[in-house]
Amino acid sequence: MNNEIWIKQSKDRCEKMGINPEVVPAFTQFYSEAELSEKRAEYEEILSVIDFFVHKMLMLMKGLPLLILITDEKGCVLEMAGDEAIRNIVSQSGIQVGLVFSEKEAGTNSINLALDHREPFQLTGRDHYFRFLENSACYSVPFQYTDVSNLLGTITIMTSIDQHNPFLLAMLCTVVDSIERELLLKKQNRRLHILNQVVIETTRNGIIITDRDGKITEYNQFAEYITDLKKQDVLHKSIAELKVSQYISEVLHNGIVYEDMEISIRQSNQGEKLVCLFDAFPIYDENKMIMGAFAQFRDITERSKAEQQINHLAYHDDLTGLPNRRFFTQHLDKLLDSTDGEKQSFALLFLDLDSLKKINDNLGHNNGDLLLQLVAERLKLCSRSSKYIVSRMGGDEFTILLKDMKDQKEAIEAAEDVIKAFEVPFVVDHYELYITASIGIAYYPQDGLDAETLMKHADIAMYLAKDAGKNNYSIYRAAKSSLGIEQLTLESSIRKALQNNEFLLHYQPQIDVETGRIIGTEALIRWNHPTLGLISPAKFIPIAEETGLIVPIGEWVIRTACLQNMEWIAKGIPPMKVSVNLSTRQFLKRDLVETVQSILLETGLDPKYLELEITESMTMDVNFAIEVLGEFKKLGIPICIDDFGTGYSNLYYMKLFSIDRLKIDQSFIRDIMTDSIDADIVSTIIAMAYNLGIDVIAEGVETEEQLNYLKRLRCREVQGYYYYKPLPAEQLEQLLLSSR
């Protein structure tokens, strides 16, 4: 809570100083080359210790885009390490080695807050004062000489906002704790050299000194503790009794120096091993002849435990204790590398909890987290054999890796065991909660020879289980047809199409039949393949749906349509709605609302000028549909039901769903003049929709007769080839400008 108060106080100070948060600050406070060299020389030992731990931390977090900044006690950046892409970005804004952070120039930032309050800080998104930092997450922890509380500086992690995780701050605190202990050990060692033999018994290092013949002459109490040998039993005796005797012999006979050699020692009265750093070097007389050896043990057991903890946190989920996505992916890759597809098979089960969001919304996220922990325990009970590896992939998604299968029935039995186990309610805060799971199953080698393909196919199977009504499992079935090779080619090309900007949008105007004016437009995706030319959406959309690529494609369509609408508004075209179709996959994504909200904030488009079109089939899960569509309603985003009349919904549900508009499917409009049933259906839909306060638009209007008939039925909005076919953005823009 103090952190939030201090952040607010800092922002208030920045505002009073008149700092403009919209600009990128012009940093002016830098150490000179001489000052920087002097400070780095002063911090040489400190930086070497930090570099050691930072290197280990970056290795553990390999794959995450992290940038590490090390500052002194005044906030000057002494070193930067980590992701080059982030480094280039922050360097362009003036953040570089030698910069001295100050609140009056850097605004509210984690480095100054950590230095001022001597507390760990994390700043994410809008916690920063400057807007250009809102896409970043920063974690800063101060470090000091703990024996005298002498503040030395800070260590900071910078990363992109989408990588934000409180675990990064916890991990950094653990690393800084280890650094402070190591700095203290280094400091103690310096004192040891200064005081030499006078303070040999006061050091917390185990000290052994021998003469030139290998007889032990000094053996302090910490050497006794570490080696589990009493001083009276080894003094004036040969080093042969010691486990490190071979190293000391090398020192005595060959003058070899050992430094920071990590060894493990198991004591007879202790259950766990001690981990020590062992040093040994020769002692010379005035004639530069070896007269003995000096050896010391530095107990780093706690530091080693901290490193193991960091490693555990890096590869395990901190909420459930299960292996995390990183652990699962690495283990799967190793399994694939060592597996002979002809002799050994395994199965991948992808599990997604049904309706966890409802529990979070009604009982709070704390109870939702408790439920996830109980789910994890129950999954472990279902998978107690060493053949199973249960992992949490994030959110409410889990995987079960089933190795050494005798036959494929084992995976089906495992899925059935999970579904049966979930029949027993979970007790959370005196509530009995029932939750179900949808499970997708993919087999190696028949469903994929690499991790990405297996994960994708298990995910597809999971969505099939959801589509079939949830609380079930589904086995991946590869589509086989004469177009198989073409589909594989298209799938590969779709993955590259977004990166290569091959997709484009056409826009079909929507017309007010009374005035003939354009009142809105529908965004329709097209694919201009570099070699195959224009590819019909009917060909690539089903493949994108099957592979899950429809989700990033759908986000691109929403973002592009919003940007185009903002561009038209900026050119003086009266604001109008742009309609975008959502896919089933998109609609089922738990972060859909957050994604759309983020795009609107990013583009600056007023939510009322983005209309989302869904199909009736997406509303089969009524409770889920009410929940999601209600969230869009709160944001002010209009919702349209596309292809109405061909699916499963009725007009009563349309009211519950907070629907703004119905789009009558063109299959009814096509034969409206010749088929009395189609005409009656259209008439009924229009009349009942208006009675419920819902607008209606008819698509596929191609003739004047169809238009006049719809006018008689009081249908006020239409779209179709009678007026305009879908047009490129540039052509529609010219049309809108000329009609203005």
Side-chain angles (χ1 to χ4, degrees), residues 55-90:
H55 176 72
K56 283 205 167 188
M57 181 172 67
L58 289 173
M59 289 299 293
L60 287 171
M61 306 302 292
K62 191 174 183 181
L64 287 181
L66 304 179
L67 181 66
I68 311 296
L69 281 74
I70 302 165
T71 75
D72 66 9
E73 78 286 358
K74 294 181 180 178
C76 175
V77 180
L78 301 179
E79 283 191 4
M80 296 170 68
D83 188 80
E84 280 298 320
I86 298 180
R87 182 168 183 166
N88 290 336
I89 292 171
V90 300

Side-chain angles (χ1 to χ4, degrees), residues 4-149:
E4 295 177 4
I5 294 172
W6 289 331
I7 291 170
K8 184 179 184 304
Q9 290 173 347
S10 172
K11 287 190 169 184
D12 290 343
R13 287 194 299 271
C14 293
E15 189 172 344
K16 287 179 181 178
M17 286 188 283
I19 302 174
N20 184 358
E22 302 294 339
V23 302
V24 177
F27 296 107
T28 60
Q29 298 186 49
F30 290 87
Y31 277 4
S32 67
E33 288 294 330
E35 290 173 326
L36 189 60
S37 297
E38 182 179 348
K39 176 60 72 170
R40 289 177 65 85
E42 178 187 342
Y43 272 54
E44 181 179 2
E45 182 180 78
I46 295 170
L47 291 175
S48 69
V49 171
I50 293 173
D51 287 346
F52 173 83
F53 284 93
V54 165
H55 176 72
K56 283 205 167 188
M57 181 172 67
L58 289 173
M59 289 299 293
L60 287 171
M61 306 302 292
K62 191 174 183 181
L64 287 181
L66 304 179
L67 181 66
I68 311 296
L69 281 74
I70 302 165
T71 75
D72 66 9
E73 78 286 358
K74 294 181 180 178
C76 175
V77 180
L78 301 179
E79 283 191 4
M80 296 170 68
D83 188 80
E84 280 298 320
I86 298 180
R87 182 168 183 166
N88 290 336
I89 292 171
V90 300
S91 294
Q92 290 172 10
S93 62
I95 299 175
Q96 54 190 282
V97 172
L99 169 67
V100 181
F101 273 82
S102 66
E103 191 175 71
K104 66 181 181 180
E105 288 192 343
T108 302
N109 65 89
S110 59
I111 291 174
N112 288 141
L113 288 169
L115 289 171
D116 291 343
H117 301 286
R118 293 198 174 193
E119 291 282 346
F121 272 83
Q122 71 174 25
L123 266 67
T124 60
R126 294 195 173 183
D127 289 341
H128 296 95
Y129 186 78
F130 282 105
R131 298 287 186 265
F132 83 98
L133 288 173
E134 287 184 356
N135 287 326
S136 66
C138 298
Y139 314 84
S140 293
V141 179
F143 65 97
Q144 60 186 358
Y145 279 126
T146 53
D147 55 339
V148 292
S149 297

